């Protein structure tokens, strides 16, 4: 599929728990968490790679990569840790709960999925698609996006 087809099909995705879970775990892509699609970060980007066994490996990266393999090739992956994940529903919202250790520090966090989002990261010139989320880390809630590269 071309990037625009993937992006168009993503607009048809729902934020229902089953859709969110299958979308995130489908092909072990990197899912980037950022304040917005084009937010600049001094500390790098956080990326999650979900598997179908309820785990998410968390990496710190310096930019958006087209694929996981491309990030590997450029030695762009800095693994922070692996978290246990669970997908639940709260009202009409899909909720992803994380628990584990990042950089050997125990942590829990929650992503509440709000709506789908598509766009283009101008720095990397890559199209992305994913979700607007509310991110709760130790009761500190921030708005963010959880997106994957689609082209």
């Amino acid at each position: 599929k071309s990037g625009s087809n993937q992006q168009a099909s993503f607009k048809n995705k729902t934020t229902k728990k089953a859709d969110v879970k299958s979308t995130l775990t489908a092909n072990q892509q990197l899912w980037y968490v950022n304040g917005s699609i084009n937010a600049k970060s001094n500390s790098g980007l956080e990326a999650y790679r979900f598997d179908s066994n309820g785990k998410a490996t968390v990496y710190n990266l310096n930019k958006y990569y087209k694929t996981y393999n491309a990030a590997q090739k450029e030695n762009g992956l800095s693994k922070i840790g692996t978290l246990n994940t669970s997908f639940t529903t709260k009202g009409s919202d899909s909720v992803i709960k994380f628990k584990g250790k990042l950089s050997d520090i125990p942590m829990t966090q929650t992503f509440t999925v709000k709506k789908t989002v598509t766009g283009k990261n101008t720095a990397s010139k890559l199209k992305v698609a994913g979700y607007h989320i509310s991110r709760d880390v130790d009761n500190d809630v921030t708005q963010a996006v959880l997106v994957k590269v689609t082209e």
Side-chain angles (χ1 to χ4, degrees):
K1 276 188 185 178
S2 75
S4 59
N5 285 347
Q6 271 193 21
Q7 212 170 17
S9 70
F10 203 91
K11 284 182 179 161
N12 299 327
K13 294 264 186 220
T14 71
T15 56
K16 290 191 179 96
K17 183 182 87 168
D19 282 351
V20 170
K21 185 176 182 177
S22 66
T23 301
L24 293 177
T25 60
N27 51 16
Q28 297 203 335
Q29 278 185 284
L30 290 170
W31 285 84
Y32 297 90
V33 175
N34 206 356
S36 67
I37 290 172
N38 287 298
K40 303 265 188 283
S41 171
N42 297 331
S43 57
L45 291 164
E46 205 172 70
Y48 292 70
R49 192 171 189 225
F50 296 86
D51 69 22
S52 54
N53 302 319
K55 301 259 187 238
T57 305
V58 185
Y59 301 95
N60 187 277
L61 297 95
N62 59 356
K63 64 178 185 177
Y64 285 91
Y65 289 92
K66 205 168 191 173
T67 63
Y68 174 80
N69 289 342
Q72 257 184 329
K73 268 188 200 138
E74 286 189 36
N75 295 320
L77 297 169
S78 176
K79 184 177 172 179
I80 308 170
T82 303
L83 300 173
N84 292 313
T85 60
S86 63
F87 292 82
T88 59
T89 308
K90 184 177 183 181
S92 60
D93 291 332
S94 295
V95 178
I96 311 160
K97 294 183 179 182
F98 300 89
K99 187 174 182 139
K101 287 185 175 184
L102 291 184
S103 303
D104 291 328
I105 299 167
M107 66 90 69
T108 57
Q109 73 175 342
T110 304
F111 293 173
T112 303
V113 177
K114 295 299 183 186
K115 61 184 180 181
T116 59
V117 62
T118 60
K120 187 172 189 169
N121 175 261
T122 49
S124 66
K125 298 180 173 61
L126 294 171
K127 289 182 181 172
V128 297
Y131 304 103
H132 283 284
I133 60 170
S134 287
R135 180 182 193 181
D136 182 338
V137 181
D138 301 326
N139 294 318
D140 180 19
V141 180
T142 55
Q143 301 307 306
V145 293
L146 175 66
V147 294
K148 67 175 181 172
V149 174
T150 59
E151 72 169 26

